[in-house]
Amino acid sequence: TTYISPNKYNLAFMLEHSTWYEHYRLGSQENERPQSLNFAPNMGMKLGIYFGWRWIFLGYTFDIEDLFGGNKNKVDKTEMSLNIYSSKFGVDLYYRKTGNDFKLRSCRGFDLASPFKEQDFNGLQSKIKGLNAYWIFNHRKFSYPAVYSQSTNQRKSAGSFMAGFSYSQHSIYFDHTKLPGNIRNDLNSNLRFNKVKYSDYSIGFGYGYNWVFKKNWVSNLSLLPGIGFKKAKIDDMQYDDSHWIKDINFDLITRAGITYNNSKWFVGASLVMHTYDYRKTNLSVTNSFGTLRIYAGFN
């Protein structure tokens, strides 16, 4: 208890504001000519209400634009997650389905007559589902729940090495015919695909640190890089064939947070980012997604 003190309350109530972020980069190289396209939608903002019993929190989030009737052209998006933060280990289960409200943010390697400007693009969709599991070695002094689930209190600064395993499935649908004409006509053949589907198996080793910089205040930063083995299938619209590719790449899970918790009241913010990287000479896909949460509640 010199480093970690338990929470003496069983019930909790919390309000939360969350912001979704996602980004996709498609790249290829053909005849020593690299090209890349970067897509990202506008950040989505939600309000949530949660009730907790000990270490279980259940809640529901609402799209802010829906509440005020400002989202007339709503696209179908889904995010479901289950996060377990215990003293010794953690588990993340998630499912994400994006809409088709992306924007083409930037591009490189194209012969454009005029400077590029961001444009709406409804030809990209993706589905991601996965599992992350990790073990915390120094669990007697280092507490993830103190920052990310407010079920304990970190009293003195401490860090810990972590080891983890993750598995995820990614399906990315891409319609290059909806690109602007000057980009579409100059597009490498490797980027003229319809669908990329790959499975990712990753083993990681990283480190996290809780810094108690003032009484009842704690901040955390943790990085869990991993070596991922990817098994991918690319369906090519132009040649009507498919081929399997196996490769090893790097993935990264980043967590950062800050919390004030006096055992009765708590307030804070946290960021969890996932980055998956698939690279071959002729095609690369990097997709990142994450959630920024700002919350307040009481026990």
Side-chain angles (χ1 to χ4, degrees), residues 251-295:
D251 304 321
L252 178 64
I253 300 175
T254 304
R255 300 177 197 267
I258 183 171
T259 298
Y260 171 82
N261 187 352
N262 66 2
S263 295
K264 181 66 177 179
W265 298 90
F266 59 87
V267 62
S270 66
L271 172 69
V272 180
M273 287 289 299
H274 301 261
T275 301
Y276 296 94
D277 191 30
Y278 167 78
R279 290 183 180 273
K280 291 292 288 185
T281 303
N282 58 346
L283 178 65
S284 64
V285 179
T286 302
N287 51 317
S288 302
F289 64 91
T291 305
L292 172 65
R293 301 167 54 240
I294 301 173
Y295 54 85

Side-chain angles (χ1 to χ4, degrees), residues 219-270:
S219 62
N220 169 268
L221 176 63
S222 64
L223 300 175
L224 188 61
I227 298 177
F229 171 80
K230 296 174 173 62
K231 185 178 181 182
K233 184 177 183 181
I234 303 174
D235 294 325
D236 195 310
M237 294 176 58
Q238 183 177 359
Y239 301 105
D240 192 28
D241 67 351
S242 61
H243 49 280
W244 291 89
I245 300 175
K246 296 180 180 180
D247 202 3
I248 293 178
N249 298 118
F250 292 95
D251 304 321
L252 178 64
I253 300 175
T254 304
R255 300 177 197 267
I258 183 171
T259 298
Y260 171 82
N261 187 352
N262 66 2
S263 295
K264 181 66 177 179
W265 298 90
F266 59 87
V267 62
S270 66

